[in-house]
Amino acid sequence: MPEVKIEIGGRQFEVACQEGEEHYLHSAAAMLDIEASTLTSQIGRLPEPRMLLMAGLMLADKTAGVQDKLKTRDARIAELEQEIARLSAMPTPEPERVEVPVVPASVSDSLAELAARAESLAGALEDRLGA
């Protein structure tokens, strides 16, 4: 079982841990050291047991806040998953039939003939005015 040296609040400690868990121990010690350093900067030097207790309580408070957020988000995820399941179970709606009016070919032909006549008249008028 490896022995790891850690520093918390400016004090050195030797702690044993399982093989391969040294990284986790260093991470946990770093978090505890941040809280202990905050305490010593605000209050000054504290007895070791009190410093560790207060730093541990501060971390526990942060952890409780994170757990509350996780519970809220887990509940929201569950709601959204239920909504997705409900929507997925709904039958596919029938396609809507949309009717588009069609202009008869005879009307299109008549309009084209009228346009051609109008252009012809406009051309004749331009010729008279230009002359």
Side-chain angles (χ1 to χ4, degrees):
M1 191 172 281
E3 292 277 329
V4 177
K5 287 186 180 183
I6 58 173
E7 184 174 325
I8 299 172
R11 298 176 182 132
Q12 295 282 326
F13 299 92
E14 272 195 33
V15 182
C17 66
Q18 295 294 324
E19 188 72 38
E21 293 187 356
E22 296 88 352
H23 172 73
Y24 299 112
L25 181 59
H26 282 290
S27 294
M31 290 174 17
L32 195 56
D33 183 48
I34 289 169
E35 299 303 322
S37 297
T38 301
L39 278 171
T40 54
S41 69
Q42 291 175 353
I43 299 172
R45 190 119 173 112
L46 292 170
E48 183 178 294
R50 183 138 179 98
M51 176 197 60
L52 293 173
L53 171 67
M54 294 299 294
L57 288 173
M58 290 168 64
L59 279 177
D61 182 53
K62 286 182 179 181
T63 302
V66 169
Q67 286 176 337
D68 287 345
K69 285 181 184 178
L70 282 174
K71 284 180 188 175
T72 302
R73 290 190 179 145
D74 285 346
R76 181 67 179 139
I77 288 170
E79 287 174 16
L80 293 172
E81 285 174 341
Q82 287 176 350
E83 181 69 8
I84 289 170
R86 185 185 68 77
L87 292 172
S88 296
M90 289 178 66
T92 304
E94 291 294 321
E96 278 187 46
R97 181 180 173 107
V98 178
E99 293 187 27
V100 179
V102 177
V103 177
S106 62
V107 173
S108 294
D109 292 343
S110 296
L111 288 174
E113 188 178 320
L114 284 173
R117 284 185 188 173
E119 286 178 16
S120 174
L121 288 172
L125 185 59
E126 283 178 1
D127 288 345
R128 282 189 189 171
L129 292 175

